[in-house]
Amino acid sequence: MRKQLVGGVVAGMLLLGACGDPGAEDGSGGAPAPDPPAASRTDGSGRPSQTNRQQAERDRERDKERGKEGSASREGPKSPGTSGGRASGPEPAPRVLYLGDSLAMENQDVLGALLRDRLAARYTSAPYSGTTLCDYLEDTGEDSLVPDGDKAATLVRKLRPDFVVLQFWGNAWGYTPCMGGVTYDKQRDAYFTRYAADARRLTGQIEEAARDVGAARPKVVWVSQGPDVMTPDRVRRVNELYRRQAAASGDLVSDAGRAVSPASARYRWVRELPCTADERAHPVYCTEPGGRTALHRSDDYLHFCLAPTTPKSRPCPVRSPGIRRIGQAVTDTVARAARR
């Protein structure tokens, strides 16, 4: 069973060009880590991957067609149980900017719908699959999968958000050029040192960008990640890094990963969980027999979208309980902070 699970994980992540890490934990008894798959060539002779520069260019063209500013009013799939919950009183609608990797890519429409329905939020999303923190830093030049117009600081100057929500699994495969080849499985200490430094730099650039345009400093919301079937300790340490950075800069952590974890085992990966009370009230979200709901597809152990993977990254097009759970947790965090 273990061998079948590991094989499925690797196959699923190779298919997706995923943003996780294939390296097995030391002493975990898992299979040895395979070499990271090579990124596609940029001269067109290799098969496209959704984590290389070709995908970034495709995403840029997509955003031009749809209109990046139009994402603030884009209507994502409506989630049950959110209508009628719009905030009342004199508080202005918060401006929320959502950045991240392939998890944010699949979550973005559902999160936008939840934030608009509950808080009347003015919402903009600019995720890119396969990215990590350094991709959103300014001055990375060609070594970034995020175009200059969508860097975190650039968007903060333009949009003046009240909240910047950051959701990153912690890309550790070496797909991301700006990491300079640092990978978790081969350079573990260097990986965490670099990741912590990039978290500090990104926070600093967001703060400086707001100051440049005379805007109030936005609150940064770090989204904690759910269990990783292959490298559970890596995700635990990445989440702790987010907590330390938030504490140091007066920002927030949304423990959305807990919503997709077993109640008694925060970092134990499972494909399905018992339905929540809200899911039982809306049975379409209880996808499995016996009052349980699926978080992942059987061929994808990382993402939460229950639709099949496509070569072109996209917001999730089908109801997916894991995405809704994460979106609700982030919305709760923003709502609590907006009331203060």
Side-chain angles (χ1 to χ4, degrees):
M1 181 65 182
R2 168 74 178 176
K3 191 175 295 182
Q4 181 182 8
L5 176 63
V6 172
V9 172
V10 174
M13 288 185 176
L14 290 177
L15 173 66
L16 295 171
C19 56
D21 175 54
E25 295 297 335
D26 291 339
S28 66
D35 290 334
S40 299
R41 294 169 59 91
T42 56
D43 59 6
S45 61
R47 184 177 179 181
S49 163
Q50 69 180 40
T51 59
N52 60 18
R53 289 190 180 91
Q54 289 175 326
Q55 182 59 42
E57 290 299 320
R58 287 197 296 271
D59 287 343
R60 194 185 312 191
E61 291 303 314
R62 175 207 66 191
D63 292 334
K64 287 179 180 177
E65 293 169 6
R66 294 170 64 179
K68 177 58 68 178
E69 293 184 2
S71 64
S73 60
R74 186 186 332 166
E75 289 298 327
K78 293 296 182 182
S79 299
T82 60
S83 61
R86 190 169 285 186
S88 60
E91 297 88 351
R95 296 181 296 271
V96 180
L97 173 62
Y98 184 43
L99 308 176
D101 55 22
S102 60
L103 295 177
M105 174 66 76
E106 67 181 8
N107 293 350
Q108 61 183 313
D109 284 355
V110 169
L111 178 59
L114 289 164
L115 287 167
R116 284 189 293 267
D117 288 351
R118 183 168 173 184
L119 303 172
R122 291 166 284 179
Y123 171 80
T124 303
S125 58
Y128 285 84
S129 294
T131 56
T132 194
L133 302 179
C134 60
D135 286 293
Y136 281 89
L137 290 169
E138 292 189 315
D139 304 321
T140 50
E142 294 182 356
D143 288 335
S144 174
L145 302 179
V146 175
D148 288 345
D150 285 341
K151 300 292 191 181
T154 300
L155 291 175
V156 167
R157 293 187 196 99
K158 178 181 178 181
L159 301 170
R160 304 186 181 204
D162 302 298
F163 298 93
V164 178
V165 179
L166 301 175
Q167 182 165 11
F168 292 91
W169 186 256
N171 190 321
W173 269 11
Y175 267 140
T176 307
C178 63
M179 284 293 287
V182 176
T183 60
Y184 170 76
D185 58 328
K186 295 180 179 179
Q187 299 165 278
R188 198 156 297 189
D189 290 342
Y191 166 78
F192 286 114
T193 298
R194 172 64 189 277
Y195 206 80
D198 286 343
R200 289 191 297 271
R201 284 187 65 198
L202 190 57
T203 300
Q205 288 192 1
I206 288 169
E207 183 173 351
E208 290 171 9
R211 188 164 57 243
D212 288 346
V213 294
R217 182 194 185 280
K219 279 285 186 183
V220 176
V221 180
W222 296 94
V223 180
S224 72
Q225 301 309 298
D228 184 343
V229 68
M230 294 297 285
T231 58
D233 188 58
R234 181 189 65 80
V235 171
R236 184 185 293 110
R237 291 183 64 181
V238 165
N239 285 346
E240 179 58 30
L241 185 153
Y242 292 157
R243 284 189 284 271
R244 289 199 303 269
Q245 179 57 49
S249 55
D251 288 311
L252 305 170
V253 173
S254 179
D255 194 7
R258 184 174 296 279
V260 290
S261 306
S264 60
R266 171 65 175 83
Y267 288 100
R268 180 167 63 86
W269 184 94
V270 293
R271 195 185 79 82
E272 59 185 53
L273 283 173
C275 294
T276 64
D278 186 58
E279 287 164 350
R280 290 193 298 271
H282 303 91
V284 70
Y285 282 92
C286 281
T287 63
E288 307 301 307
R292 300 180 68 80
T293 195
L295 302 177
H296 306 275
R297 287 174 55 84
S298 60
D299 58 356
D300 184 347
Y301 295 83
L302 172 61
H303 298 93
F304 295 91
C305 184
L306 298 184
T309 305
T310 59
K312 186 174 182 179
S313 54
R314 59 179 178 171
C316 186
V318 300
R319 293 186 185 94
S320 298
I323 288 177
R324 184 165 172 252
R325 288 181 179 211
I326 291 169
Q328 287 175 323
V330 174
T331 300
D332 287 345
T333 301
V334 173
R336 285 193 297 269
R339 288 195 297 265
R340 293 172 185 168

